[in-house]
Amino acid sequence: MEYISAGAVVHGMELATEDQGVGANYNMACLSSIPDSVLPDGFSPLFALTLGTTIECFSPVAGSLDKIKTDILK
C-alpha cells in the first residue's frame, strides 16, 4: 500500500510542477544512489522525481473521450 500512496503523491507533485512550467519526470533508476545519510532513520526511498527547467511548452492535448473504449457492467 505504501507504494500506491507514494505513487499518488509523486504523480500529484509532477502534475503541479508541470502546471507551473517546470519539467518533471519519474526517475526510479536513481533510488539506489540516494545516500543513506540524507534519509531519516527508518525511511527508505520508494519514488524519485526529477525537476528542472525545460524549453518545451506544455499545452493541453485536444481529444475526445469517445476514443477511450469503456465497458459498463451492471
Side-chain angles (χ1 to χ4, degrees), residues 41-68:
D41 289 338
F43 282 77
S44 59
L46 299 179
F47 282 87
L49 185 65
T50 54
L51 306 173
T53 57
T54 179
I55 59 172
E56 293 185 33
C57 180
F58 299 106
S59 58
V61 177
S64 170
L65 292 179
D66 295 338
K67 292 183 178 182
I68 301 172

Side-chain angles (χ1 to χ4, degrees), residues 10-74:
V10 171
H11 184 66
M13 292 167 62
E14 179 188 28
L15 293 175
T17 56
E18 288 179 354
D19 190 46
Q20 296 177 32
V22 177
N25 188 23
Y26 299 120
N27 187 348
M28 304 303 290
C30 73
L31 292 179
S32 61
S33 66
I34 298 173
D36 291 335
S37 60
V38 301
L39 298 171
D41 289 338
F43 282 77
S44 59
L46 299 179
F47 282 87
L49 185 65
T50 54
L51 306 173
T53 57
T54 179
I55 59 172
E56 293 185 33
C57 180
F58 299 106
S59 58
V61 177
S64 170
L65 292 179
D66 295 338
K67 292 183 178 182
I68 301 172
K69 181 175 174 12
T70 58
D71 292 321
I72 299 173
L73 302 175
K74 295 184 179 184

